Amino acid sequence: MESGKNPRPPKVKNKNPAPVQITAEQILREAHDRRLEPTHSIPKQKISDLEELSEFRQRKRKEFEDNIRKNRLNVSNWLKYASWEESQQEFQRARSVYERALDVEWRNGAIWLRYVEMEMKNRNVMHARNLLDRATTLLPRMNQFWYKYTYMEEMLGEVPKARNVFERWMKWEPDEDAWMAYIKMELRYGEEARAQALYERFVSIHPEPKNWIKWAKFEEEHNNIDKCREIYTEAIQYMGDDKLDQKVLVAFAKYEIKLKEYERARVIFKYGLDRLPKSKSQSLYNQYTNFEKQYGNREGIEDVVLGKRRVQYEEEIEANPKNYDVWFDYAKLEESAGEIVRVREVYERAIAQVPPADEKRFWRRYIYLWVNYALYEELETEDTERTREIYTECLKLIPHKRFTFAKIWLLAAQFEIRQLNLQGARKLLGQAIGMCPKNRLFKGYIELEMQLREFDRCRTLYTKFLEYDPANCSAWIKFAELEKLLGEQERCRAIFELAISQPSLDMPELLWKAYIDFEIEEEEYENTRDLYLRLLERTEHVKVYISFAQFELSIPYKNNSEEGNRRARKIYEDAYDNLKKKELKEERVILLEAWKEFEKEHGNEETQKVVEDKLPKVVRKRRKAADSTEDNIIWEEYFDYIFPDDEVQSRNLKFLAMAHAWANKD
């Protein structure tokens, strides 16, 4: 090696990723956390004389001043400084620090509050009073200062001064809590007249319904009956019809009920019901109903409520006649009243509102009006001919070429059966299947014939059903179950064979499972084994292999008890080889787990070791995320499986490639 040249760096032999990946984010977070940990313990300092105390104070003050000089806007530095001076009983210095802080940030409420608390804690009343006076003058919208000011004056027994502070505060028209605090203070000292005057001022500034109610209840507690009634009346007049609130009316009516003025209460309820819409008077309705139940007659309340609701429903229908929910509520209201003529009138008006477009989503809600109308005529009025006429008109109205409703056809057929008109029901369902076939119609018709034990008709219907929808696996299974129920095993097997030969099926796995279960129940094990093999030709799903192996274990063998184990093991081996060729890793893992459980129960140490040697290692890897871009590459971690036989194969391939390259080089 020539002198002056750097030696070549050693080659890195192992380029595999480390088992634990450390990111830059983890390194930075750990460095930040360790930065906050103290590296050494601070020794305790003992002060033995005044000179050391003076030196200690001078050093601490210098630290505080340096911190403030670095960042004057950091309020915590000022507060720590002033708190330390207070702990040293240096109140003049503490005040100086607070004043300097206020010069920097006088809008900060925390400085004022700490300053005031220091003065109050050390019984410097005049200082505290002056501070609070300054704070409330400079920051009148911060309620904390006012609360603390009034509390201090009241604790000192200076009620007139506290009242003066409240009066200054009230000039700024604060929120409701401030007014209530003032009123409660007056009541604590028995000043009811002052409290009444305050309520009047309070309500004039905050005329919300709850405040009127508070005022009225205050007068009620002090037995001012006429004044209480006057307050409620004034509240209703002030709000008018536009802003009328049901809470005020309910409270007013309850007050009159307490005084046993039932007629007054009834007038109040009716006044509110006549002026408030339904959306804003639900509580008023409930209270009125309870009132009439206790103090009135039933007919009166029902007439009032029904009349009011009819008016409301008519208004909503006039605004939007296609709002079918309103029609439902309106019909229920009339049904509860029990007037048949009115009920029929409402239903006739409702079904006349045909949806504007021939789209099923517009008709779904509308069609239930016909259903409810028919059920009402059948169950309540027991008018059979009118019910049949309703179903007929409804079926004529529906555009069956565009869409249909199987529910209507089935309900009409069930109605005919209840009238013992079996031929009429069959005619309806046959017409439905011929005009607009649907799965639900076929199922309903077949269920009807099954209940009547007309099995030949069921076969005919299943045939038509499968001609209409040959991909419907549940229909094939039900058809086969019917033949099995009738003891026609050959027919059942023929149906299954015809079903699995269909080019497309919606749920083929259920069909194959039903066929296999049928052969197992019939103890046709060779047929079952043949079915499994045919299924594996179509799909080599891992669950099919596992199910096949479990089947071989479950069936009895006369000559050799180990035959089932041998066959199952052969299935597992073939399945593993096939999945390995297709490079399906997760499926191989599932198969190996099932194989491992099988060998634990039915194998020996040698066969168990074969499976153990095939089990993969789980490795954490990184790859580009799906939402990565060229400018912003996002990496995500995932788990991969490394199988021992794959590693051996890859090493052999790599060795052959190197040998081939060396041969070409020569």
Side-chain angles (χ1 to χ4, degrees), residues 211-414:
N211 297 332
W212 288 99
I213 295 172
K214 284 181 183 178
W215 186 14
K217 287 186 176 180
F218 165 77
E219 298 293 349
E220 183 181 352
E221 290 173 359
H222 293 84
N223 296 322
N224 297 328
I225 298 174
D226 295 334
K227 183 66 176 176
C228 184
R229 186 174 288 142
E230 180 185 341
I231 291 168
Y232 279 122
T233 306
E234 186 179 349
I236 294 172
Q237 291 175 353
Y238 176 82
M239 288 184 285
D241 293 344
D242 296 335
K243 298 182 180 179
L244 189 61
D245 192 276
Q246 62 177 343
K247 294 179 182 177
V248 177
L249 293 168
V250 171
F252 193 6
K254 285 183 177 179
Y255 172 70
E256 296 293 354
I257 293 171
K258 285 182 183 178
L259 300 177
K260 297 184 179 180
E261 295 285 350
Y262 303 126
E263 287 302 321
R264 284 178 176 269
R266 186 174 285 108
V267 170
I268 293 167
F269 280 123
K270 290 184 178 180
Y271 178 86
L273 292 175
D274 292 339
R275 286 163 176 78
L276 286 173
K278 180 184 175 182
S279 59
K280 296 182 180 179
S281 60
Q282 190 63 43
S283 177
L284 190 64
Y285 269 117
N286 297 336
Q287 294 295 333
Y288 187 24
T289 306
N290 294 334
F291 167 75
E292 289 292 350
K293 286 180 180 178
Q294 293 179 12
Y295 308 106
N297 53 16
R298 182 177 179 181
E299 294 179 0
I301 182 59
E302 286 183 353
D303 290 341
V304 172
V305 173
L306 285 174
K308 180 61 178 176
R309 288 186 178 177
R310 285 190 185 111
V311 172
Q312 292 174 353
Y313 287 139
E314 291 292 344
E315 290 176 354
E316 293 180 13
I317 288 169
E318 185 179 355
N320 183 11
K322 305 295 183 185
N323 189 347
Y324 301 120
D325 291 331
V326 178
W327 286 111
F328 282 118
D329 295 338
Y330 199 179
K332 287 180 182 178
L333 176 68
E334 296 298 349
E335 286 181 23
S336 64
E339 297 184 19
I340 297 175
V341 177
R342 280 185 173 272
V343 175
R344 286 175 174 169
E345 180 187 353
V346 171
Y347 272 122
E348 290 293 339
R349 291 171 57 196
I351 61 178
Q353 302 298 327
V354 182
D358 288 347
E359 294 184 27
K360 192 169 184 177
R361 60 191 180 95
F362 295 116
W363 286 66
R364 283 196 178 96
R365 194 70 175 145
Y366 166 75
I367 210 69
Y368 278 96
L369 288 171
W370 288 91
V371 174
N372 288 3
Y373 190 11
L375 293 176
Y376 172 76
E377 292 292 350
E378 181 184 0
L379 301 176
E380 299 295 332
T381 66
E382 298 181 357
D383 192 338
T384 305
E385 291 301 323
R386 195 177 185 91
T387 306
R388 185 176 288 112
E389 183 182 348
I390 291 169
Y391 280 122
T392 304
E393 292 298 324
C394 179
L395 291 172
K396 287 181 181 178
L397 184 65
I398 298 172
H400 298 290
K401 292 183 179 180
R402 298 287 301 277
F403 57 85
T404 190
F405 290 93
K407 186 178 187 67
I408 293 292
W409 291 103
L410 294 173
L411 286 174
Q414 290 165 5

Side-chain angles (χ1 to χ4, degrees), residues 507-518:
M507 290 184 292
E509 64 278 2
L510 295 181
L511 184 63
W512 281 93
K513 183 179 184 302
Y515 194 4
I516 290 170
D517 291 342
F518 165 73

Side-chain angles (χ1 to χ4, degrees), residues 619-642:
V619 179
R620 183 184 296 175
K621 293 184 177 181
R622 291 175 59 193
R623 63 187 174 193
K624 290 184 180 179
D627 53 350
S628 298
T629 59
E630 294 182 358
D631 299 331
N632 183 19
I633 298 176
I634 302 174
W635 297 93
E636 63 178 6
E637 293 185 351
Y638 71 100
F639 292 97
D640 194 10
Y641 299 101
I642 298 178

Side-chain angles (χ1 to χ4, degrees), residues 446-463:
I446 291 169
E447 184 179 355
L448 170 64
E449 298 296 351
M450 284 286 289
Q451 291 174 354
L452 297 173
R453 298 296 185 265
E454 294 286 347
F455 299 118
D456 289 335
R457 288 181 177 273
C458 290
R459 286 190 178 113
T460 304
L461 288 172
Y462 270 122
T463 304

